[in-house]
Amino acid sequence: MSYPQPSTSAYSSTAGESSKSFVATWLLSAFLGGLGVDRFYLGKIGTGVLKLVTLGGLGVWALIDLILVLAGAQKDKEGRSLAGYDQNKKIAWIVTAVLFVLGIVGNIASGTLAAIGS
């Protein structure tokens, strides 16, 4: 008796862990997300081009992608989870939060200094 064999196509399975790194995706998304580099890295060429042309959806798409990466919801082209997420998620959230707060403080300080100088 012959049983149907499961498909061996790379696109048919969403199980397993990707060869794409969570840390690399997180850093690309944080620093070059507005240019779609994170999408190109994950093999998502079509959305990478759209993200590049729209400059990360004027920042909105880039921010959403960064949140998706940090939440562990971003997958590679084949639907697999990024490698190293569980080991690195805490430090990624902390570093992202610190950079965000430093950016806000820096903007407030530069605005205050500009107001004092004029």
Side-chain angles (χ1 to χ4, degrees), residues 36-115:
V37 175
D38 54 332
R39 291 283 180 146
F40 288 115
Y41 173 71
L42 293 174
K44 300 176 178 182
I45 305 303
T47 54
V49 170
L50 287 174
K51 199 171 172 186
L52 175 63
V53 171
T54 63
L55 296 176
L58 299 177
V60 175
W61 191 355
L63 179 61
I64 290 170
D65 268 358
L66 178 60
I67 293 168
L68 287 173
V69 170
L70 288 169
Q74 188 70 283
K75 310 287 185 205
D76 70 0
K77 180 180 179 180
E78 297 159 1
R80 297 178 300 180
S81 299
L82 302 176
Y85 175 72
D86 291 328
Q87 298 87 353
N88 299 298
K89 65 182 173 184
K90 186 175 182 179
I91 191 71
W93 273 105
I94 292 169
V95 170
T96 303
V98 167
L99 290 175
F100 182 75
V101 169
L102 287 175
I104 291 173
V105 169
N107 281 325
I108 291 171
S110 68
T112 303
L113 292 175

